[in-house]
């Protein structure tokens, strides 16, 4: 399953030093939660993500009302991503 979404970049309040996320829209997150997928820790799903020319393999995690995508430092640096900025994410969900 391939999706595209825009998100403001947020910093995880529990670890302000290093964890940044893009949040999937709630309606899209609910659709994804209904897909058949093998159970994984923290309700995660394996994905291949791309922002600009940078792609990487990671997981998305359900957090309250929506899935969140962790944004690695290497990705943020390569694409000039900062907290509060808006990113366009191309995402392939690999487990459905």
């Amino acid at each position: 399953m391939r999706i595209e979404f825009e998100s403001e970049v947020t910093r995880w309040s529990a670890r302000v030093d290093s964890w940044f996320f893009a949040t999937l829209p709630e309606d899209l997150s609910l659709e994804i939660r209904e897909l058949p997928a093998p159970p994984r820790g923290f309700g995660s799903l394996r994905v291949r993500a791309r922002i600009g020319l940078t792609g990487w393999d990671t997981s998305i995690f359900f957090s309250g009302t929506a899935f969140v995508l962790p944004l690695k430092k290497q990705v943020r640096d390569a694409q000039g991503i900062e907290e509060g900025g808006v990113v366009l994410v191309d995402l392939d969900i690999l487990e459905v």
Side-chain angles (χ1 to χ4, degrees):
M1 177 178 186
R2 183 176 214 158
I3 57 176
E4 186 177 85
F5 67 96
E6 280 189 340
S7 173
E8 181 177 349
V9 176
T10 57
R11 189 185 305 227
W12 185 28
S13 60
R15 298 279 311 256
V16 296
D17 55 330
S18 61
W19 292 91
F20 292 81
F21 296 94
T23 303
L24 282 74
E26 288 184 18
D27 57 338
L28 182 57
S29 293
L30 293 175
E31 287 180 36
I32 293 169
R33 280 190 60 113
E34 293 182 12
L35 297 172
R40 295 188 70 219
F42 304 104
S44 65
L45 292 172
R46 290 181 334 107
V47 299
R48 182 165 295 121
R50 185 175 55 80
I51 297 175
L53 298 176
T54 305
W56 73 104
D57 291 339
T58 187
S59 294
I60 56 174
F61 302 87
F62 196 75
S63 176
T65 60
F67 278 96
V68 293
L69 169 71
L71 302 174
K72 297 174 13 173
K73 181 172 177 24
Q74 296 147 322
V75 173
R76 296 191 321 267
D77 289 349
Q79 296 301 312
I81 297 169
E82 296 183 3
E83 181 179 11
V86 175
V87 292
L88 177 63
V89 179
D90 184 25
L91 197 68
D92 286 315
I93 299 174
L94 302 176
E95 296 183 298
V96 292

